[in-house]
Amino acid sequence: MDNTEISFLYLNENDMIQAGVLDAPACISTTEEVLALLSDGDVLMGGKNHREHGIQLIFPRESPIPGFPLEDSPDRRFMSMPGYLGGRFHIAGEKYYGSNGRNVPKGLPRSILMFTLNDVETGAPIAYMSANLLSAMRTGAVPAVMAKYTARKDIHTISFLGTGEINRAILKCFMAIYDNVTTIKLRGSSARSKSALSMKKFVEDNYPDVREVIICETLEQACRDTDLISEAVSTINRQWPLVDPAWLAPGTTIISSGTMDLTDHDFIADHMKKVVDNKGMYDDYVKVYQEYDANGNKLSTGTPGIFFSEMISKGRIRDSDVTEIGNIIRGRAPGRTNDDDIYLISAGGMPILDIGWGYECYRRAKDKGIGTWLKLWDSPYMGV
């Protein structure tokens, strides 16, 4: 009889830190590998097109049932994100999390995340791990990979729209690939926001070669005279940053990991290079997240990738005008060829990124004897 015992490795947050979850260069390298596998088609995600972000539990805005959970705070949701990652990984996984903006005053992260790795053949759990740092680092690594292939090489000034944990992770990853950054601009919820002040101190304490850290009074100040803009804003609908293209210098690259918009969508269509992580994901987002006003007019979703999908469906731009980053990595499409091109890039997050970096953290932890082995069973009570 075959051995039917199943055990899996549990990794708490401290275990993940010991295993190297915060290792930015390694996370960037793994992320680049994952994005290339997406270009090859060697992945599976949700939906019939195998490209969906995940399944979201969407709360209603009102309910007649007392105590029913409502969409009454920023980012309130539950999300399940399953996937399969091929290549050398050949493993399945799922990130699951709950999120609520009211967590922050309680001293908790807005989102609380866990991640599972599973054997592709049997479905047996291989590892179960704390995923807040895992998710933040893989989110930070994607803009670094995208910037590597699309931004100008001479990056001296970087602006961060939003000063929460995601942009802090993106900062770590940018600083792992750029050696000549002299100025960092920060735009928080206000000039005196705690997160902006905290991020300023973080930069000053950890990156002494950065000569100037500016907390910007206005969005315009943050967007002018900069080489690279990272947007990672978490806010309620249509209170996200609204960027005027007139503020953008030739050669600027904007990478959106949260929600934002531009005042002129014709400028996006006609004068910006458009890059995404996953075209199919944004095609699905159009169906899931589109909202309308009282007159039936479409409202902005705050997601550049959705803007691109809608422009393609309306015939405003061609499908070939939007490039997946994996195709650039694989050499199937060009990256930056002109220093004056302005790029708008959408990074929406995918479970295969968690699988790739989660697998690497699991492998490191297993090799170093980190974590706790938990037994599912010696043999299943309910047999075949």
Side-chain angles (χ1 to χ4, degrees), residues 99-298:
S99 182
N100 192 331
R102 286 196 293 271
N103 284 353
V104 177
K106 300 175 183 178
L108 294 171
R110 173 181 54 81
S111 299
I112 299 173
L113 307 97
M114 297 298 295
F115 178 71
T116 306
L117 283 172
N118 297 85
D119 180 86
V120 175
E121 181 66 25
T122 66
I126 294 171
Y128 186 55
M129 61 190 74
S130 171
N132 277 62
L133 297 178
L134 168 70
S135 185
M137 286 306 297
R138 67 81 158 153
T139 303
V142 172
V145 174
M146 289 177 150
K148 173 182 174 181
Y149 287 92
T150 63
R152 291 200 314 249
K153 302 303 180 186
D154 55 335
I155 298 297
H156 300 291
T157 301
I158 304 177
S159 294
F160 293 89
L161 311 184
T163 51
E165 291 302 323
I166 296 303
N167 251 344
R168 187 174 296 204
I170 294 171
L171 166 71
K172 292 177 184 177
C173 293
F174 280 163
M175 298 305 286
I177 64 171
Y178 292 120
D179 297 326
N180 300 313
V181 177
T182 59
T183 303
I184 287 178
K185 296 182 179 184
L186 307 174
R187 174 60 180 166
S189 57
S190 71
R192 305 301 298 174
S193 74
K194 290 182 179 179
S195 65
L197 292 169
S198 174
M199 191 164 173
K200 182 176 188 291
K201 186 176 187 303
F202 176 81
V203 175
E204 292 169 342
D205 289 347
N206 292 277
Y207 304 102
D209 291 338
V210 176
R211 296 197 294 266
E212 192 174 25
V213 184
I214 303 167
I215 297 180
C216 297
E217 296 282 348
T218 65
L219 181 62
E220 179 178 356
Q221 182 188 5
C223 293
R224 284 192 181 274
D225 302 316
T226 189
D227 304 310
L228 179 58
I229 298 172
S230 171
E231 178 279 313
V233 173
S234 173
T235 187
I236 60 177
N237 278 354
R238 279 163 284 285
Q239 292 189 16
W240 45 66
L242 186 61
V243 175
D244 187 334
W247 302 340
L248 306 175
T252 303
T253 297
I254 305 176
I255 303 176
S256 174
S257 304
T259 46
M260 63 169 290
D261 204 343
L262 273 74
T263 58
D264 184 353
H265 279 217
D266 285 334
F267 186 88
I268 297 175
D270 298 329
H271 301 293
M272 302 186 87
K273 297 289 187 178
K274 294 163 278 289
V275 177
V276 298
D277 43 2
N278 175 353
K279 279 186 180 180
M281 182 171 67
Y282 299 106
D283 292 340
D284 180 68
Y285 277 178
V286 172
K287 296 177 287 185
V288 175
Y289 295 113
Q290 185 63 65
E291 294 183 337
Y292 301 84
D293 65 18
N295 296 318
N297 300 309
K298 285 187 175 182

Side-chain angles (χ1 to χ4, degrees), residues 280-340:
M281 182 171 67
Y282 299 106
D283 292 340
D284 180 68
Y285 277 178
V286 172
K287 296 177 287 185
V288 175
Y289 295 113
Q290 185 63 65
E291 294 183 337
Y292 301 84
D293 65 18
N295 296 318
N297 300 309
K298 285 187 175 182
L299 297 171
S300 173
T301 57
T303 304
I306 296 180
F307 306 159
F308 305 159
S309 290
E310 291 180 324
M311 289 176 183
I312 292 170
S313 66
K314 293 176 182 177
R316 182 65 178 82
I317 62 175
R318 298 167 299 178
D319 183 76
S320 59
D321 290 330
V322 181
T323 305
E324 284 194 350
I325 187 64
N327 289 335
I328 299 176
I329 294 169
R330 285 295 196 224
R332 299 183 179 115
R336 178 178 286 272
T337 57
N338 186 320
D339 279 350
D340 288 340

